[in-house]
Amino acid sequence: SIRNYYSTSIAARGAAVNFTRWRVYDHRVRPWYREAIAAWLNDQVQSSWSSIYVFSTSGQLGVTAMRTMARSDGAPDAVLAIDFELSSISGILNRSFVGVGTAFAYIVETDPMFSGLLIGLSTAEALQTSAGERRSALETSHSHIAESAAVLASLGWPSNMHLRHGAGSMGWEVHTTSVMSLTRGLPWLVVAGQSIG
């Protein structure tokens, strides 16, 4: 199959304007498509989220919201998909915490296979290493994010918890919450905190 790309503008309200390029693209070999079909065939799950993967178009880490459409005989017919780049999550966190003093936030996966890998963070730090590997919250250069992540990891990434660490003029406190119930299955933990002292 051929995928066509077009530019657009605010004035065009999303309508395709200029043809920019085309390339061969086979959706059947992409991670999101295979996961959606497997979820339907194995468990009859129609709506789901993909695991984190590298987008073929941008080379960025992302996640896909998927909905499988089935024929009357139950066989999968199509998969509708919407992509979300993880960098946009970091962008939202970063903009939300500009000028908020010593506050910080980060989001990690809690699935045992990917436990502690970053989904987004309020600092300008990249979600991938220079080698293209996903970065763990334990590996960040922000000392309070790395320290709090180490404590939360040792506790199994608990949800709905308040932790305070340190005394006197140095330390941090964090609050955690799960996004699982809000997103129908994303095993993510949101951690918001601040330096204390």
Side-chain angles (χ1 to χ4, degrees), residues 15-108:
V17 178
N18 296 317
F19 176 77
T20 57
R21 67 185 171 113
W22 66 270
R23 68 188 184 103
V24 175
Y25 178 84
D26 186 352
H27 62 278
R28 297 167 300 179
V29 300
R30 299 298 298 153
W32 62 269
Y33 182 83
R34 290 184 172 192
E35 290 177 11
I37 294 299
W40 174 255
L41 294 176
N42 296 336
D43 302 311
Q44 303 295 285
V45 173
Q46 191 172 31
S47 297
S48 58
W49 291 90
S50 73
S51 55
I52 306 297
Y53 67 101
V54 176
F55 287 168
S56 66
T57 50
S58 66
Q60 298 296 311
L61 290 173
V63 63
T64 299
M66 309 169 298
R67 183 168 178 89
T68 302
M69 309 302 288
R71 296 192 297 255
S72 58
D73 63 0
D77 191 37
V79 177
L80 307 177
I82 301 174
D83 294 336
F84 299 93
E85 287 188 358
L86 296 190
S87 61
S88 63
I89 296 172
S90 284
I92 291 168
L93 291 175
N94 188 271
R95 288 188 301 276
S96 298
F97 282 79
V98 169
V100 187
T102 60
F104 58 89
Y106 59 99
I107 303 171
V108 295

Coordinates of all heavy atoms in Angstrom, one line a residue, residues 15-108:
A15 N -7.6 20.5 6.0 CA -7.8 19.9 4.7 C -6.5 19.8 4.0 O -5.6 20.6 4.2 CB -8.7 20.8 3.9
A16 N -6.3 18.7 3.3 CA -5.0 18.5 2.5 C -4.8 19.6 1.5 O -5.7 20.0 0.8 CB -5.0 17.2 1.8
V17 N -3.6 20.2 1.5 CA -3.3 21.3 0.6 C -2.3 20.9 -0.5 O -2.7 20.8 -1.6 CB -2.8 22.6 1.4 CG1 -2.5 23.7 0.4 CG2 -3.9 23.0 2.4
N18 N -1.1 20.7 -0.1 CA 0.0 20.4 -1.0 C 0.5 19.0 -0.8 O 0.8 18.6 0.3 CB 1.1 21.4 -0.9 CG 0.7 22.8 -1.3 OD1 0.0 23.0 -2.3 ND2 1.1 23.8 -0.5
F19 N 0.6 18.3 -1.9 CA 1.2 16.9 -1.8 C 2.7 17.1 -1.5 O 3.4 17.9 -2.1 CB 1.1 16.2 -3.1 CG 1.7 14.8 -3.1 CD1 1.2 13.8 -2.5 CD2 2.9 14.7 -3.8 CE1 1.8 12.5 -2.5 CE2 3.6 13.4 -3.8 CZ 3.0 12.4 -3.2
T20 N 3.2 16.4 -0.4 CA 4.6 16.6 0.0 C 5.5 15.4 -0.3 O 6.6 15.5 -0.6 CB 4.7 17.0 1.5 OG1 4.0 15.9 2.2 CG2 4.0 18.3 1.8
R21 N 4.9 14.2 -0.1 CA 5.7 13.0 -0.4 C 4.8 11.8 -0.3 O 3.7 11.8 0.1 CB 6.9 12.9 0.6 CG 6.5 12.6 2.0 CD 7.7 12.6 2.9 NE 7.3 12.5 4.3 CZ 7.5 11.5 5.1 NH1 8.2 10.4 4.7 NH2 7.1 11.5 6.3
W22 N 5.4 10.6 -0.7 CA 4.7 9.4 -0.6 C 5.7 8.3 -0.3 O 6.9 8.5 -0.5 CB 3.9 9.0 -1.8 CG 4.8 8.7 -3.0 CD1 5.2 9.5 -4.0 CD2 5.4 7.4 -3.4 NE1 6.0 8.9 -4.9 CE2 6.1 7.6 -4.5 CE3 5.3 6.1 -2.8 CZ2 6.8 6.6 -5.1 CZ3 6.0 5.1 -3.4 CH2 6.7 5.3 -4.6
R23 N 5.3 7.2 0.3 CA 6.2 6.1 0.6 C 5.4 4.9 0.8 O 4.2 4.9 1.1 CB 7.1 6.4 1.8 CG 6.4 6.4 3.1 CD 7.4 6.8 4.2 NE 6.7 6.8 5.5 CZ 6.9 5.8 6.4 NH1 7.8 4.9 6.1 NH2 6.3 5.8 7.5
V24 N 6.1 3.7 0.7 CA 5.4 2.5 0.9 C 5.3 2.3 2.4 O 6.2 2.5 3.2 CB 6.3 1.3 0.3 CG1 5.7 0.0 0.6 CG2 6.4 1.5 -1.2
Y25 N 4.1 1.8 2.8 CA 3.8 1.6 4.2 C 2.9 0.4 4.3 O 1.8 0.4 3.8 CB 3.2 2.9 4.8 CG 2.8 2.8 6.3 CD1 3.7 3.0 7.3 CD2 1.5 2.4 6.6 CE1 3.4 2.9 8.6 CE2 1.1 2.3 8.0 CZ 2.1 2.5 8.9 OH 1.7 2.4 10.3
D26 N 3.3 -0.6 5.1 CA 2.5 -1.7 5.3 C 2.1 -1.8 6.8 O 2.9 -2.1 7.6 CB 3.2 -3.0 4.9 CG 2.3 -4.3 5.0 OD1 1.2 -4.2 5.5 OD2 2.8 -5.3 4.6
H27 N 0.9 -1.4 7.1 CA 0.4 -1.3 8.4 C 0.4 -2.7 9.1 O 0.4 -2.7 10.3 CB -1.0 -0.7 8.5 CG -2.0 -1.5 7.7 ND1 -2.2 -1.4 6.4 CD2 -2.9 -2.4 8.2 CE1 -3.1 -2.2 6.0 NE2 -3.6 -2.8 7.0
R28 N 0.3 -3.7 8.4 CA 0.1 -5.1 9.0 C 1.4 -5.5 9.7 O 1.3 -6.4 10.5 CB -0.2 -6.1 7.9 CG -1.5 -5.8 7.2 CD -1.7 -6.6 5.9 NE -0.6 -6.3 5.0 CZ -0.5 -6.8 3.8 NH1 -1.3 -7.8 3.4 NH2 0.5 -6.5 3.0
V29 N 2.5 -4.9 9.5 CA 3.7 -5.3 10.2 C 4.1 -4.3 11.4 O 5.0 -4.5 12.1 CB 5.0 -5.3 9.2 CG1 4.7 -6.3 8.1 CG2 5.3 -3.9 8.7
R30 N 3.3 -3.3 11.5 CA 3.5 -2.3 12.6 C 3.0 -2.9 14.0 O 2.0 -3.6 14.0 CB 2.8 -1.0 12.3 CG 3.3 -0.3 11.0 CD 4.8 0.0 11.1 NE 5.1 1.0 12.1 CZ 6.3 1.1 12.8 NH1 7.3 0.3 12.5 NH2 6.4 2.0 13.7
P31 N 3.7 -2.5 15.0 CA 3.4 -3.0 16.4 C 1.9 -2.7 16.8 O 1.2 -3.6 17.3 CB 4.3 -2.3 17.3 CG 5.5 -1.9 16.5 CD 4.9 -1.6 15.1
W32 N 1.4 -1.5 16.5 CA 0.1 -1.2 17.0 C -1.0 -2.0 16.3 O -1.9 -2.5 16.9 CB -0.2 0.3 16.7 CG -0.1 0.7 15.2 CD1 0.9 1.2 14.5 CD2 -1.2 0.6 14.3 NE1 0.6 1.4 13.2 CE2 -0.7 1.1 13.0 CE3 -2.6 0.3 14.3 CZ2 -1.5 1.2 11.9 CZ3 -3.3 0.3 13.2 CH2 -2.8 0.8 12.0
Y33 N -0.8 -2.3 15.0 CA -1.8 -3.1 14.3 C -1.7 -4.6 14.8 O -2.8 -5.2 15.0 CB -1.4 -3.1 12.8 CG -2.5 -3.9 12.0 CD1 -3.7 -3.3 11.6 CD2 -2.2 -5.2 11.6 CE1 -4.6 -4.0 10.8 CE2 -3.2 -5.9 10.8 CZ -4.3 -5.3 10.5 OH -5.3 -6.0 9.7
R34 N -0.6 -5.1 15.0 CA -0.5 -6.5 15.5 C -1.1 -6.6 16.9 O -1.7 -7.6 17.2 CB 1.0 -7.0 15.4 CG 1.5 -7.2 14.0 CD 2.9 -7.7 14.0 NE 3.3 -8.1 12.7 CZ 4.3 -8.8 12.4 NH1 5.1 -9.2 13.3 NH2 4.6 -9.0 11.1
E35 N -0.9 -5.7 17.7 CA -1.4 -5.7 19.1 C -2.9 -5.6 19.0 O -3.6 -6.3 19.8 CB -0.8 -4.6 19.9 CG 0.7 -4.9 20.3 CD 1.3 -3.7 21.0 OE1 0.6 -2.8 21.5 OE2 2.5 -3.7 21.2
A36 N -3.5 -4.7 18.2 CA -4.9 -4.6 18.1 C -5.6 -5.8 17.6 O -6.6 -6.3 18.2 CB -5.3 -3.4 17.2
I37 N -5.0 -6.5 16.6 CA -5.6 -7.7 16.1 C -5.5 -8.8 17.1 O -6.4 -9.6 17.3 CB -4.9 -8.1 14.7 CG1 -5.2 -7.1 13.6 CG2 -5.3 -9.5 14.3 CD1 -6.6 -6.9 13.3
A38 N -4.4 -8.9 17.8 CA -4.2 -9.9 18.8 C -5.2 -9.7 20.0 O -5.8 -10.7 20.5 CB -2.8 -9.9 19.4
A39 N -5.4 -8.5 20.4 CA -6.4 -8.2 21.4 C -7.8 -8.6 21.0 O -8.5 -9.2 21.9 CB -6.3 -6.7 21.8
W40 N -8.1 -8.4 19.8 CA -9.4 -8.8 19.3 C -9.6 -10.3 19.2 O -10.5 -10.9 19.7 CB -9.7 -8.2 17.9 CG -11.0 -8.7 17.4 CD1 -11.2 -9.5 16.3 CD2 -12.3 -8.4 17.8 NE1 -12.5 -9.8 16.1 CE2 -13.3 -9.1 17.0 CE3 -12.8 -7.6 18.8 CZ2 -14.6 -9.0 17.2 CZ3 -14.2 -7.5 19.0 CH2 -15.1 -8.2 18.2
L41 N -8.6 -11.0 18.6 CA -8.7 -12.4 18.3 C -8.6 -13.2 19.7 O -9.2 -14.3 19.8 CB -7.6 -12.9 17.4 CG -7.7 -12.4 15.9 CD1 -6.5 -12.8 15.1 CD2 -9.0 -12.9 15.3
N42 N -7.7 -12.8 20.6 CA -7.5 -13.5 21.8 C -8.6 -13.2 22.9 O -9.0 -14.1 23.6 CB -6.1 -13.2 22.4 CG -5.0 -13.7 21.5 OD1 -5.2 -14.6 20.7 ND2 -3.9 -13.0 21.6
D43 N -9.0 -12.0 23.0 CA -9.9 -11.6 24.1 C -11.1 -10.8 23.7 O -11.8 -10.3 24.6 CB -9.1 -10.8 25.1 CG -7.9 -11.5 25.7 OD1 -8.1 -12.7 26.1 OD2 -6.8 -11.0 25.7
Q44 N -11.3 -10.6 22.4 CA -12.5 -9.8 21.9 C -12.5 -8.4 22.4 O -13.5 -7.8 22.6 CB -13.8 -10.5 22.3 CG -13.9 -12.0 21.8 CD -13.9 -12.0 20.2 OE1 -14.9 -11.7 19.6 NE2 -12.8 -12.5 19.7
V45 N -11.3 -7.9 22.6 CA -11.1 -6.5 23.1 C -11.1 -5.6 21.8 O -10.3 -5.7 21.0 CB -9.8 -6.3 23.9 CG1 -9.6 -4.8 24.2 CG2 -9.8 -7.1 25.1
Q46 N -12.1 -4.7 21.8 CA -12.3 -3.9 20.6 C -11.5 -2.6 20.7 O -10.9 -2.2 19.7 CB -13.8 -3.5 20.4 CG -14.1 -2.9 19.1 CD -15.6 -2.7 18.9 OE1 -16.3 -2.6 19.8 NE2 -16.0 -2.8 17.6
S47 N -11.4 -1.9 21.9 CA -10.7 -0.7 22.0 C -9.5 -0.9 23.0 O -9.7 -1.5 24.1 CB -11.6 0.4 22.6 OG -12.6 0.7 21.7
S48 N -8.3 -0.5 22.6 CA -7.2 -0.7 23.4 C -6.1 0.3 23.1 O -6.2 1.1 22.2 CB -6.6 -2.1 23.2 OG -6.3 -2.3 21.8
W49 N -5.0 0.3 23.8 CA -3.8 1.1 23.6 C -2.7 0.2 23.2 O -2.5 -0.9 23.8 CB -3.5 1.9 24.9 CG -4.5 2.9 25.3 CD1 -5.5 2.8 26.1 CD2 -4.4 4.3 24.9 NE1 -6.2 4.0 26.2 CE2 -5.5 4.9 25.5 CE3 -3.6 5.0 24.1 CZ2 -5.8 6.3 25.3 CZ3 -3.9 6.4 23.9 CH2 -5.0 7.0 24.5
S50 N -1.8 0.7 22.4 CA -0.6 0.0 22.0 C 0.4 0.1 23.1 O 0.3 1.0 24.0 CB 0.0 0.5 20.7 OG 0.6 1.8 20.9
S51 N 1.4 -0.7 23.0 CA 2.6 -0.5 23.9 C 3.4 0.7 23.3 O 3.1 1.2 22.1 CB 3.5 -1.7 23.9 OG 3.8 -2.1 22.6
I52 N 4.3 1.2 24.0 CA 5.2 2.3 23.5 C 6.1 1.8 22.4 O 6.7 0.8 22.5 CB 6.0 2.9 24.6 CG1 5.2 3.3 25.8 CG2 6.9 4.1 24.1 CD1 4.2 4.4 25.6
Y53 N 6.2 2.5 21.3 CA 7.0 2.1 20.2 C 7.5 3.3 19.4 O 7.0 4.5 19.6 CB 6.3 1.1 19.2 CG 5.1 1.7 18.5 CD1 5.3 2.1 17.1 CD2 3.9 2.0 19.0 CE1 4.3 2.7 16.4 CE2 2.9 2.5 18.3 CZ 3.0 2.9 17.0 OH 2.0 3.4 16.3
V54 N 8.4 3.1 18.5 CA 9.0 4.2 17.7 C 8.1 4.4 16.4 O 7.9 3.5 15.7 CB 10.4 4.0 17.3 CG1 11.0 5.1 16.4 CG2 11.3 3.8 18.5
F55 N 7.6 5.6 16.2 CA 6.8 5.9 15.1 C 7.6 5.8 13.8 O 8.7 6.4 13.7 CB 6.1 7.2 15.2 CG 5.0 7.3 16.2 CD1 4.4 8.5 16.6 CD2 4.4 6.2 16.8 CE1 3.4 8.6 17.5 CE2 3.4 6.2 17.7 CZ 2.9 7.4 18.0
S56 N 7.1 5.2 12.7 CA 7.8 5.1 11.5 C 7.9 6.5 10.8 O 8.8 6.7 10.0 CB 7.1 4.1 10.6 OG 5.9 4.6 10.2
T57 N 7.0 7.4 11.0 CA 7.0 8.7 10.3 C 8.0 9.7 10.9 O 8.7 10.3 10.2 CB 5.6 9.3 10.3 OG1 5.1 9.3 11.6 CG2 4.7 8.5 9.4
S58 N 8.0 9.8 12.3 CA 8.8 10.8 12.9 C 10.0 10.2 13.6 O 10.9 11.0 14.0 CB 7.9 11.5 14.0 OG 7.5 10.6 15.0
G59 N 10.0 8.9 13.9 CA 11.2 8.4 14.6 C 11.1 8.6 16.1 O 12.0 8.3 16.9
Q60 N 9.9 9.2 16.6 CA 9.7 9.5 18.0 C 9.0 8.4 18.7 O 8.2 7.7 18.1 CB 8.9 10.8 18.1 CG 9.6 12.0 17.5 CD 10.9 12.4 18.2 OE1 10.9 12.5 19.4 NE2 12.0 12.5 17.4
L61 N 9.2 8.3 20.0 CA 8.4 7.4 20.8 C 6.9 7.8 20.9 O 6.6 9.0 21.0 CB 8.9 7.3 22.2 CG 10.3 6.7 22.4 CD1 10.8 6.8 23.8 CD2 10.2 5.2 22.1
G62 N 6.0 6.9 20.8 CA 4.6 7.2 20.9 C 3.8 6.0 21.3 O 4.3 4.9 21.5
V63 N 2.5 6.3 21.4 CA 1.5 5.3 21.8 C 0.3 5.5 20.9 O 0.0 6.6 20.4 CB 1.1 5.4 23.3 CG1 0.4 6.7 23.6 CG2 0.2 4.2 23.7
T64 N -0.4 4.4 20.6 CA -1.6 4.5 19.6 C -2.8 4.0 20.3 O -2.8 3.0 20.9 CB -1.3 3.7 18.4 OG1 -0.1 4.2 17.7 CG2 -2.4 3.7 17.4
A65 N -3.9 4.8 20.2 CA -5.2 4.4 20.6 C -5.8 3.7 19.4 O -5.8 4.2 18.3 CB -6.1 5.6 21.0
M66 N -6.4 2.5 19.7 CA -6.8 1.6 18.6 C -8.3 1.1 18.8 O -8.7 0.9 20.0 CB -5.9 0.4 18.5 CG -4.4 0.7 18.4 SD -3.3 -0.7 18.6 CE -3.7 -1.3 20.3
R67 N -9.0 0.9 17.7 CA -10.3 0.3 17.8 C -10.4 -0.6 16.6 O -10.3 -0.2 15.4 CB -11.4 1.4 17.8 CG -12.8 0.8 17.9 CD -13.8 1.8 18.1 NE -15.2 1.3 18.2 CZ -15.7 0.9 19.3 NH1 -15.1 0.9 20.5 NH2 -17.0 0.4 19.3
T68 N -10.7 -1.9 16.9 CA -10.8 -2.9 15.9 C -12.3 -3.0 15.4 O -13.2 -3.1 16.2 CB -10.3 -4.3 16.4 OG1 -9.0 -4.1 16.8 CG2 -10.4 -5.3 15.3
M69 N -12.5 -3.0 14.1 CA -13.8 -3.1 13.5 C -13.9 -4.6 13.0 O -13.0 -5.0 12.3 CB -14.0 -2.1 12.4 CG -13.7 -0.7 12.8 SD -14.6 -0.1 14.2 CE -16.2 0.1 13.4
A70 N -15.0 -5.3 13.3 CA -15.1 -6.7 12.9 C -16.3 -6.8 12.0 O -17.2 -6.1 12.0 CB -15.3 -7.5 14.1
R71 N -16.2 -7.9 11.1 CA -17.3 -8.2 10.2 C -18.3 -9.0 11.0 O -18.1 -9.3 12.2 CB -16.7 -9.1 9.1 CG -15.7 -8.4 8.2 CD -15.4 -9.2 6.9 NE -14.8 -10.5 7.2 CZ -13.6 -10.7 7.0 NH1 -12.7 -9.8 6.5 NH2 -13.1 -12.0 7.2
S72 N -19.4 -9.3 10.4 CA -20.5 -10.0 11.0 C -20.1 -11.4 11.5 O -20.7 -11.9 12.5 CB -21.8 -10.1 10.1 OG -21.4 -10.7 8.9
D73 N -19.1 -12.0 10.9 CA -18.7 -13.3 11.3 C -17.6 -13.2 12.4 O -17.1 -14.3 12.8 CB -18.1 -14.1 10.1 CG -16.9 -13.4 9.5 OD1 -16.4 -12.4 10.0 OD2 -16.3 -14.0 8.5
G74 N -17.3 -12.0 12.9 CA -16.4 -11.9 14.0 C -14.9 -11.7 13.5 O -14.1 -11.4 14.4
A75 N -14.6 -11.8 12.3 CA -13.3 -11.7 11.8 C -12.9 -10.2 11.8 O -13.8 -9.3 11.4 CB -13.1 -12.2 10.4
P76 N -11.7 -9.8 12.1 CA -11.3 -8.4 12.1 C -11.3 -7.8 10.7 O -10.8 -8.5 9.8 CB -9.9 -8.4 12.7 CG -9.4 -9.8 12.6 CD -10.6 -10.7 12.6
D77 N -11.8 -6.7 10.5 CA -12.0 -6.1 9.2 C -11.1 -4.8 9.0 O -10.5 -4.6 8.0 CB -13.4 -5.7 9.0 CG -13.7 -5.3 7.5 OD1 -13.1 -5.9 6.6 OD2 -14.5 -4.3 7.3
A78 N -10.9 -4.1 10.1 CA -10.1 -2.9 10.0 C -9.7 -2.4 11.4 O -10.4 -2.8 12.4 CB -10.8 -1.7 9.3
V79 N -8.7 -1.6 11.5 CA -8.3 -1.1 12.8 C -8.1 0.5 12.6 O -7.4 0.9 11.8 CB -6.9 -1.6 13.3 CG1 -6.5 -0.9 14.6 CG2 -7.0 -3.1 13.5
L80 N -8.9 1.2 13.4 CA -8.8 2.6 13.4 C -7.8 3.0 14.5 O -7.7 2.4 15.5 CB -10.2 3.3 13.8 CG -11.4 2.8 13.0 CD1 -12.6 3.5 13.5 CD2 -11.2 3.1 11.5
A81 N -6.9 4.0 14.2 CA -5.8 4.3 15.1 C -5.6 5.8 15.1 O -5.7 6.5 14.1 CB -4.6 3.6 14.6
I82 N -5.2 6.3 16.3 CA -4.8 7.7 16.5 C -3.5 7.6 17.3 O -3.4 7.0 18.3 CB -5.9 8.5 17.3 CG1 -7.2 8.5 16.6 CG2 -5.4 9.9 17.6 CD1 -8.3 9.1 17.4
D83 N -2.5 8.3 16.8 CA -1.1 8.3 17.4 C -0.9 9.5 18.3 O -1.4 10.6 18.0 CB -0.1 8.4 16.3 CG 0.0 7.1 15.4 OD1 -0.5 6.1 15.9 OD2 0.4 7.2 14.3
F84 N -0.2 9.3 19.4 CA 0.2 10.3 20.3 C 1.7 10.2 20.6 O 2.1 9.2 21.1 CB -0.6 10.2 21.6 CG -2.1 10.3 21.5 CD1 -2.8 9.2 21.3 CD2 -2.7 11.5 21.5 CE1 -4.2 9.2 21.2 CE2 -4.1 11.6 21.4 CZ -4.8 10.5 21.2
E85 N 2.4 11.2 20.3 CA 3.9 11.2 20.6 C 4.1 11.5 22.0 O 3.4 12.4 22.6 CB 4.6 12.2 19.7 CG 4.7 11.8 18.3 CD 5.7 12.8 17.5 OE1 6.2 13.8 18.0 OE2 5.9 12.5 16.3
L86 N 5.0 10.8 22.7 CA 5.3 11.0 24.1 C 5.9 12.4 24.3 O 5.6 13.0 25.4 CB 6.2 9.9 24.6 CG 5.7 8.5 24.6 CD1 6.6 7.6 25.4 CD2 4.3 8.4 25.2
S87 N 6.6 12.9 23.4 CA 7.1 14.3 23.5 C 6.1 15.3 23.8 O 6.3 16.3 24.5 CB 8.0 14.7 22.3 OG 7.2 14.7 21.2
S88 N 4.9 15.1 23.3 CA 3.8 16.1 23.6 C 3.4 16.0 25.0 O 3.0 17.0 25.6 CB 2.6 15.8 22.7 OG 2.0 14.5 22.9
I89 N 3.5 14.8 25.7 CA 3.1 14.7 27.1 C 4.2 15.5 27.9 O 3.8 16.2 28.8 CB 3.1 13.2 27.5 CG1 1.9 12.5 26.8 CG2 2.9 13.1 29.0 CD1 1.9 11.0 27.0
S90 N 5.5 15.3 27.6 CA 6.5 16.0 28.2 C 6.3 17.5 28.0 O 6.5 18.3 28.9 CB 7.9 15.6 27.7 OG 8.3 14.4 28.2
G91 N 5.9 17.9 26.8 CA 5.7 19.3 26.5 C 4.6 19.9 27.4 O 4.7 21.0 27.9
I92 N 3.5 19.2 27.6 CA 2.4 19.7 28.5 C 2.9 19.8 29.9 O 2.7 20.8 30.6 CB 1.2 18.7 28.4 CG1 0.6 18.8 27.0 CG2 0.2 19.0 29.5 CD1 -0.4 17.7 26.7
L93 N 3.7 18.8 30.4 CA 4.2 18.8 31.8 C 5.2 20.0 31.9 O 5.1 20.7 32.9 CB 4.9 17.5 32.1 CG 4.0 16.3 32.3 CD1 4.8 15.1 32.6 CD2 3.0 16.5 33.4
N94 N 6.0 20.2 30.9 CA 7.0 21.2 31.0 C 6.4 22.6 31.1 O 6.7 23.4 31.9 CB 8.0 21.1 29.8 CG 9.1 22.0 29.9 OD1 9.1 23.2 29.5 ND2 10.2 21.6 30.5
R95 N 5.4 22.8 30.2 CA 4.7 24.1 30.2 C 3.9 24.4 31.4 O 3.8 25.5 31.9 CB 3.8 24.2 28.9 CG 4.6 24.4 27.6 CD 3.6 24.7 26.5 NE 2.6 23.7 26.2 CZ 2.9 22.6 25.5 NH1 4.1 22.3 25.0 NH2 1.9 21.7 25.3
S96 N 3.4 23.3 32.0 CA 2.6 23.4 33.2 C 3.4 23.8 34.4 O 2.9 24.4 35.4 CB 1.8 22.1 33.5 OG 0.9 21.8 32.4
F97 N 4.7 23.4 34.4 CA 5.5 23.6 35.6 C 6.5 24.8 35.4 O 7.3 25.0 36.3 CB 6.3 22.3 35.9 CG 5.4 21.3 36.7 CD1 4.5 20.6 36.0 CD2 5.4 21.2 38.0 CE1 3.7 19.7 36.6 CE2 4.6 20.3 38.7 CZ 3.7 19.5 38.0
V98 N 6.4 25.5 34.3 CA 7.3 26.7 34.2 C 6.9 27.7 35.2 O 5.7 28.1 35.3 CB 7.2 27.3 32.7 CG1 7.8 28.6 32.6 CG2 7.8 26.3 31.7
G99 N 7.9 28.2 35.9 CA 7.6 29.3 36.9 C 6.9 28.8 38.2 O 6.4 29.6 39.0
V100 N 6.9 27.5 38.4 CA 6.2 27.0 39.6 C 7.3 26.6 40.7 O 7.1 25.8 41.5 CB 5.4 25.7 39.3 CG1 4.6 25.3 40.5 CG2 4.4 26.0 38.1
G101 N 8.4 27.3 40.6 CA 9.4 27.1 41.7 C 10.1 25.7 41.6 O 10.6 25.3 40.6
T102 N 10.0 25.0 42.7 CA 10.7 23.7 42.8 C 9.8 22.5 42.5 O 10.2 21.4 42.8 CB 11.3 23.6 44.2 OG1 10.2 23.6 45.2 CG2 12.3 24.7 44.5
A103 N 8.7 22.7 41.9 CA 7.8 21.6 41.6 C 8.3 20.8 40.4 O 9.0 21.4 39.5 CB 6.4 22.1 41.3
F104 N 7.9 19.6 40.3 CA 8.3 18.7 39.2 C 7.2 17.6 39.1 O 6.4 17.4 40.0 CB 9.7 18.1 39.5 CG 9.8 17.2 40.7 CD1 9.5 15.9 40.7 CD2 10.2 17.8 41.9 CE1 9.6 15.1 41.9 CE2 10.3 17.1 43.1 CZ 10.0 15.7 43.1
A105 N 7.2 17.0 37.9 CA 6.3 15.9 37.7 C 6.9 14.9 36.6 O 7.7 15.3 35.8 CB 5.0 16.4 37.1
Y106 N 6.5 13.7 36.7 CA 6.9 12.7 35.7 C 5.9 11.6 35.7 O 5.1 11.4 36.6 CB 8.3 12.2 36.0 CG 8.6 11.5 37.3 CD1 8.5 10.1 37.4 CD2 8.8 12.2 38.4 CE1 8.8 9.5 38.6 CE2 9.1 11.6 39.6 CZ 9.1 10.3 39.7 OH 9.3 9.7 41.0
I107 N 5.9 10.9 34.6 CA 4.9 9.8 34.4 C 5.8 8.6 33.9 O 6.6 8.7 33.1 CB 3.9 10.1 33.3 CG1 3.1 11.4 33.6 CG2 2.9 8.9 33.1 CD1 2.2 11.9 32.5
V108 N 5.5 7.4 34.6 CA 6.3 6.2 34.3 C 5.3 5.0 34.0 O 4.1 5.1 34.4 CB 7.2 5.8 35.4 CG1 8.3 6.8 35.6 CG2 6.4 5.5 36.7

